[in-house]
Amino acid sequence: METVCGITSRLPEHDKPEIAFAGKSNVGKSSLINALMNRKSYARTSAKPGKTQTINFYNVNEELYLVDLPGYGYAKVSEKEKAQWGKLVERYLHQSMQLKAVFLLIDIRHAPSQNDKMMYQWITEQGFYPIIIATKLDKLKRSQVQKQIRLIKEGLSLAPGTSIIPFSFVTKQGRDEIWEMIETSFLEKSR
């Protein structure tokens, strides 16, 4: 990890594209970043949801940053803390000059929660069209996948053409598609 940005921190200044990952507290953002980096414990994972309380910037080969945003929807955090995280994320989405894309992680086993819907709407209101990563794919039977993807599409009222990438931390299914999307859609534009 290169930079940690807390509530009072200034956003880092650099010229590398940033790809941000948003999602509920226990949806697997840190696990996804570890899988993308091909490292076991690059991003800290925890059995306790709500561990990421800062914006964490991970430098990838001096080419880009993967940005882990604080998780939302975790009940055991005070309202004051939740509000501070919200302000932190909002400031980042508004002020980052290098943010190229936001991936929104949704647990494929469940219909999107009210918090997921609010986050999706909020990201689009900031001018981004989030790519959906449907995590925890390995916990579903193959026959259930399309039905669950439909549930996510309908639950979030996704804009036509929005990408949904099913992802499994266990099998790494979806990892290459995510990298391909980052490279072709966002890195080439910024070169």
Side-chain angles (χ1 to χ4, degrees), residues 23-94:
K24 261 196 307 211
S25 293
N26 59 350
V27 76
K29 290 187 308 297
S30 299
S31 297
L32 171 68
I33 288 170
N34 287 335
L36 289 172
M37 298 297 295
N38 233 353
R39 306 254 300 265
K40 269 205 173 20
S41 54
Y42 194 63
R44 281 192 322 212
T45 58
S46 170
K48 285 186 188 149
K51 207 71 179 149
T52 304
Q53 299 181 10
T54 52
I55 298 176
N56 299 325
F57 293 78
Y58 298 93
N59 187 330
V60 183
N61 302 326
E62 297 299 322
E63 274 190 43
L64 77 141
Y65 285 92
L66 299 180
V67 181
D68 188 2
L69 300 175
Y72 55 82
Y74 185 52
K76 288 191 179 164
V77 172
S78 75
E79 289 305 315
K80 184 181 171 197
E81 272 184 292
K82 285 181 194 173
Q84 286 180 320
W85 293 354
K87 284 189 185 112
L88 179 66
V89 172
E90 186 170 3
R91 183 167 59 106
Y92 171 70
L93 291 178
H94 273 301

Side-chain angles (χ1 to χ4, degrees), residues 75-157:
K76 288 191 179 164
V77 172
S78 75
E79 289 305 315
K80 184 181 171 197
E81 272 184 292
K82 285 181 194 173
Q84 286 180 320
W85 293 354
K87 284 189 185 112
L88 179 66
V89 172
E90 186 170 3
R91 183 167 59 106
Y92 171 70
L93 291 178
H94 273 301
Q95 294 179 3
S96 171
M97 295 294 139
Q98 301 303 326
L99 182 59
K100 303 298 178 202
V102 180
F103 285 84
L104 178 58
L105 282 64
I106 306 283
D107 186 330
I108 196 167
R109 299 170 299 171
H110 311 291
S113 68
Q114 201 50 47
N115 284 330
D116 291 330
K117 294 173 189 179
M118 282 169 44
M119 191 63 171
Y120 177 76
Q121 269 184 316
W122 191 68
I123 293 168
T124 57
E125 285 165 10
Q126 307 304 314
F128 293 95
Y129 293 93
I131 296 103
I132 308 301
I133 299 177
T135 61
K136 309 199 180 195
L137 178 64
D138 46 279
K139 302 200 186 284
L140 274 190
K141 291 187 178 114
R142 193 173 282 171
S143 61
Q144 299 172 299
V145 173
Q146 286 312 312
K147 179 184 151 241
Q148 293 305 112
I149 286 176
R150 250 190 327 278
L151 255 182
I152 292 171
K153 278 183 181 171
E154 291 164 9
L156 294 177
S157 305

